[in-house]
Amino acid sequence: MKPLFHPSIDDISVESILHALSDPVRVAIFTQITASQCSATCSAFQNIVEQPVPKSTLSQHFKVLRESGLIRSERKGVEMHNVSRCSEIEARFPGLLASIVNAYTVQSRQGEKRRKARTRRSR
Amino acid sequence: MKPLFHPSIDDISVESILHALSDPVRVAIFTQITASQCSATCSAFQNIVEQPVPKSTLSQHFKVLRESGLIRSERKGVEMHNVSRCSEIEARFPGLLASIVNAYTVQSRQGEKRRKARTRRSR
DNA sequence: TCAATAGTTCATGTTTTCGGAACTTTTGGA
DNA sequence: TCCAAAAGTTCCGAAAACATGAACTATTGA
């Protein structure tokens, strides 16, 4: 199996971080990996959103996250262990990831509210 | 001419902001519009990067920025005047735009340094 | 009324993304 | 040792997104 490519911290670009995090599945994965203390396998995320994500697609998403520098993946036996590189990135681009994750939190909280309001109105 | 669509502040999504700003031409445009006090026309950006951007492409870029909610465009006579919506967005997603713009600044500063170092070495 | 200017739209070729099917690696039995 | 199962990756064809030249539209100033 080919060794996995990870960019060195200085080669991580803002473009690729923003691109990687502009996809709902990928932010969901990244947020969860960042939040969890231990490392996470890929297949743990098959049901990260409403409809299940096919594993080939999931594999691509992990590749994008890895090559943009957001996560570090390591093969452990038959499975893959993924950890967040957020502290490295924080050192180079202070505040970036925190404000993005925060913005998504704000957004989903408001989405929540709207959904509830709609439900109330339709009763 | 069709009226231009602008999302209301509550309909602006983080996904679309990140996607819009994951393109070098678009960040360059957005940064400049945000920095300038007065409004800017589209054609002012034909030479925003090394190779000149064709105007059809430029038009698409402005559409992306507009529909993601990052700028507001208004027709004034024959030309288009564009202003940044960053203060609105700041209210909804605090710190987001600032940290993105800052990250790009950090990156281009480091790109500068590297280029210079390469030049020094090759003399 | 017309030419010039600023942008948009359309058509087309190119690139990216998605996802099913087949493939590779590793491991835990029989 | 050999095989089957599990976890991912790779390959490939279809669909979507992008880029850009050419044609088009709207507005203004002569």
Side-chain angles (χ1 to χ4, degrees):
Chain A
M1 195 133 285
K2 246 175 258 177
L4 299 170
F5 173 73
H6 292 93
S8 84
I9 182 66
D10 290 332
D11 290 330
I12 294 178
S13 77
V14 185
E15 284 92 330
S16 54
I17 290 182
L18 298 191
H19 172 251
L21 296 181
S22 69
D23 179 276
V25 174
R26 287 193 297 257
V27 226
I29 293 173
F30 176 71
T31 310
Q32 201 154 315
I33 289 180
T34 302
S36 84
Q37 297 304 319
C38 58
S39 65
T41 65
C42 297
S43 56
F45 296 95
Q46 308 223 49
N47 294 299
I48 191 91
V49 285
E50 305 71 51
Q51 37 260 28
V53 185
K55 62 181 190 165
S56 60
T57 305
L58 214 49
S59 179
Q60 295 304 322
H61 283 318
F62 273 93
K63 189 180 181 191
V64 171
L65 288 171
R66 188 165 55 239
E67 302 197 339
S68 71
L70 285 164
I71 64 171
R72 199 176 284 283
S73 312
E74 196 182 345
R75 175 141 209 164
K76 288 249 180 72
V78 77
E79 54 193 23
M80 203 76 139
H81 285 217
N82 302 285
V83 295
S84 174
R85 293 181 69 180
C86 67
S87 52
E88 285 176 79
I89 295 174
E90 172 64 20
R92 184 153 130 93
F93 302 122
L96 181 62
L97 295 182
S99 69
I100 292 175
V101 170
N102 176 253
Y104 271 111
T105 308
V106 167
Q107 175 171 298
S108 70
R109 220 170 20 229
Q110 294 179 353
E112 231 10 61
K113 269 194 196 171
R114 281 205 209 183
R115 250 189 308 287
K116 280 188 192 164
R118 242 197 314 284
T119 311
R120 263 199 303 284
R121 270 201 306 282
S122 70
R123 277 188 295 205
Chain B
M1 196 135 281
K2 247 175 256 178
L4 300 169
F5 172 73
H6 292 93
S8 84
I9 182 66
D10 290 331
D11 290 331
I12 293 177
S13 77
V14 184
E15 285 92 329
S16 55
I17 289 181
L18 298 191
H19 171 251
L21 296 181
S22 69
D23 178 276
V25 174
R26 286 192 297 256
V27 226
I29 294 173
F30 176 71
T31 310
Q32 201 155 315
I33 288 180
T34 302
S36 83
Q37 298 304 319
C38 56
S39 65
T41 66
C42 297
S43 55
F45 296 96
Q46 307 223 49
N47 295 300
I48 190 92
V49 286
E50 304 71 51
Q51 37 260 30
V53 185
K55 62 179 188 163
S56 57
T57 305
L58 214 48
S59 178
Q60 295 305 323
H61 283 320
F62 272 92
K63 189 180 182 190
V64 171
L65 288 171
R66 189 164 54 239
E67 302 197 339
S68 71
L70 285 163
I71 64 172
R72 199 177 284 283
S73 312
E74 194 183 346
R75 175 138 209 167
K76 287 248 179 74
V78 77
E79 55 192 21
M80 204 75 138
H81 285 217
N82 302 284
V83 294
S84 173
R85 294 181 69 179
C86 66
S87 51
E88 285 177 80
I89 295 173
E90 171 65 19
R92 185 154 129 92
F93 302 122
L96 181 62
L97 296 182
S99 69
I100 293 175
V101 170
N102 175 254
Y104 271 111
T105 308
V106 167
Q107 174 170 300
S108 71
R109 221 173 17 232
Q110 294 180 352
E112 233 6 62
K113 269 195 194 169
R114 280 206 209 182
R115 249 188 310 287
K116 279 189 190 162
R118 241 196 317 284
T119 311
R120 263 198 303 283
R121 270 200 306 281
S122 69
R123 274 188 298 209

